[in-house]
Amino acid sequence: MENKLMDKLEMYEKYYSTLKQELKWQVVDARVLMLISSMYVVRKKELDVERFKEIAEYVKKKKGVFSALNSAQVYVGAATLDIRFDNPEEKYHEWMEVYDQLVDSSFQRGSFTYISALLVLDLKKEADSREDLIKGAKRVFDLMKKDHMFLTSSSDYPIAVLLAASPLEEAPLMAKIEELYGNLNDKGFKKSNELQMLSHILALRDNEDTDILVKHAMDVVVTLEAQEKKVRPIHYPEVGIMALAEEKEMLADFIVRIENALNEAKDFKWHKKMNFTIAVQLSVSEYAEEASIMETAVQTSLESILQAQQAAMTGAMAGAIASGSGSGSGGN
């Protein structure tokens, strides 16, 4: 695993360097290019930068004057279409149709609804099955809002879509999330938006009891802190991703090593929080490939959770850029 992971890191740095050179006047936030680079690496899709630029230009030309798509969303959306579909330009129009369906179902217009539309498009390849997923996502979101009115916002739309695609029925699913939230808080996790996200991520592992999932999350914190990585609420979503891996000590070791390498690199040293997230993405994606040999359910869960995390990252960046805040630096 180590050699393959180092190859992924090298590829990530190469893709970032290429995108930085090609899009230096179009994308001002380095984190957007970091996310896009990781998306290609995690999905094992070779970056054809000219083709990627063609798709992005197509999206820019087709989006209306009053579209809520900002620069970050255009390029992340183009990358998603390129990575996940054989006919990106055709899928763009389906993406906009799904977006309108979400708006018609009372999702607010904006970045998180665009991300949710991409998830619906990817999860439901057939148009006639998308309506049920959208209705389910709205029901899940409304239940989330009922349980945590002040924590739940449009930023939770993407995870609501992923939860709605879960095989669990809505009532037991939401009960499991609430139990996770309360038990994690009892064990020292701080009540917050991030704890809600952690609860949602863990709930995507539908075949595990809550007590076991909470123990996995606690084990991750202990393992990371043994590597001198202090875990703060901002890291809770990554804890959720790591919690589903069996070999947590090995994974934590790789993650911290990659994070440290990125923190020392000229291009990435000002984006420490993002570096940790990228290190988790790269390491867990490689772990998922290894785990798939042994257990398909593990791979499926990890892929869904990686998708949820990428959606959260995209929305956070798009929202920050829209509000004029895009520095992206952060502490360890």
Side-chain angles (χ1 to χ4, degrees):
M1 178 174 167
E2 181 173 4
N3 290 338
K4 290 181 180 178
L5 189 51
M6 293 304 110
D7 288 343
K8 281 191 171 182
L9 177 59
E10 183 179 344
M11 189 63 68
Y12 167 73
E13 292 173 329
K14 175 186 172 183
Y15 285 171
Y16 176 83
S17 179
T18 300
L19 290 170
K20 181 182 177 183
Q21 178 63 32
E22 293 289 335
L23 300 176
K24 56 187 173 184
W25 304 115
Q26 289 90 351
V27 180
V28 296
D29 193 323
R31 295 172 302 161
V32 176
L33 302 183
M34 292 167 71
L35 173 59
I36 291 171
S37 300
S38 72
M39 288 168 64
Y40 277 91
V41 174
V42 166
R43 291 288 295 193
K44 299 181 75 174
K45 167 80 172 181
E46 184 177 354
L47 172 63
D48 180 340
V49 71
E50 293 303 322
R51 177 66 179 134
F52 168 66
K53 286 163 62 179
E54 283 178 8
I55 299 166
E57 285 303 313
Y58 185 87
V59 173
K60 283 196 284 187
K61 286 179 182 177
K62 292 295 181 181
K63 78 184 185 76
V65 175
F66 300 104
S67 171
L69 275 173
N70 60 27
S71 176
Q73 198 63 60
V74 164
Y75 285 98
V76 174
T80 304
L81 293 172
D82 186 29
I83 290 166
R84 296 187 176 273
F85 305 106
D86 294 330
N87 49 348
E89 286 87 355
E90 290 179 28
K91 285 294 179 180
Y92 164 77
H93 297 283
E94 291 186 49
W95 177 23
M96 293 301 106
E97 289 172 9
V98 174
Y99 176 81
D100 288 338
Q101 286 180 286
L102 287 164
V103 171
D104 290 343
S105 296
S106 300
F107 287 78
Q108 295 177 8
R109 294 183 180 275
S111 296
F112 292 103
T113 302
Y114 280 115
I115 298 160
S116 300
L118 281 171
L119 289 174
V120 171
L121 194 65
D122 188 37
L123 290 166
K124 296 296 181 183
K125 308 297 184 186
E126 302 300 325
D128 59 359
S129 63
R130 293 174 194 154
E131 189 174 346
D132 289 339
L133 179 57
I134 290 170
K135 289 179 179 177
K138 185 61 170 62
R139 290 194 298 270
V140 168
F141 179 79
D142 288 344
L143 289 169
M144 290 162 60
K145 191 87 173 172
K146 180 181 177 182
D147 289 333
H148 296 280
M149 179 178 292
F150 298 108
L151 292 180
T152 306
S153 68
S154 60
S155 65
D156 295 297
Y157 288 164
I159 195 70
V161 170
L162 287 165
L163 288 167
S166 165
L168 283 178
E169 294 293 327
E170 288 158 18
L173 174 64
M174 301 312 294
K176 182 175 185 177
I177 289 169
E178 275 306 288
E179 187 176 353
L180 283 166
Y181 188 91
N183 290 355
L184 286 164
N185 178 238
D186 290 343
K187 297 296 184 181
F189 288 83
K190 295 180 180 178
K191 288 184 177 181
S192 60
N193 223 8
E194 292 85 1
L195 181 56
Q196 179 169 267
M197 183 65 174
L198 171 57
S199 303
H200 293 157
I201 288 173
L202 292 175
L204 288 170
R205 188 70 185 272
D206 57 272
N207 60 340
E208 294 274 19
D209 292 336
T210 53
D211 289 346
I212 294 173
L213 291 169
V214 169
K215 182 180 184 305
H216 286 332
M218 293 174 62
D219 288 346
V220 169
V221 173
V222 170
T223 303
L224 284 172
E225 291 189 344
Q227 294 276 353
E228 299 184 356
K229 174 69 183 179
K230 184 171 177 60
V231 177
R232 301 184 176 93
I234 197 171
H235 301 122
Y236 287 173
E238 285 80 16
V239 169
I241 296 173
M242 294 176 64
L244 304 188
E246 294 295 328
E247 299 177 65
K248 295 178 179 61
E249 290 184 9
M250 177 189 73
L251 189 61
D253 179 61
F254 285 139
I255 287 167
V256 171
R257 283 164 58 188
I258 291 175
E259 180 193 21
N260 290 338
L262 292 172
N263 285 346
E264 293 172 4
K266 179 181 177 182
D267 281 331
F268 308 120
K269 63 182 179 180
W270 302 112
H271 304 286
K272 288 185 168 57
K273 169 59 180 74
M274 187 74 168
N275 287 341
F276 179 64
T277 300
I278 295 296
V280 172
Q281 291 270 325
L282 298 180
S283 301
V284 172
S285 67
E286 183 57 39
Y287 178 86
E289 290 173 29
E290 300 279 337
S292 68
I293 300 170
M294 299 174 285
E295 186 184 347
T296 303
V298 172
Q299 185 194 32
T300 303
S301 295
L302 288 173
E303 284 179 350
S304 295
I305 290 160
L306 286 170
Q307 202 171 15
Q309 179 65 355
Q310 286 181 339
M313 290 161 63
T314 305
M317 281 185 282
I321 292 166
S323 65
S325 169
S327 63
S329 61
N332 189 32

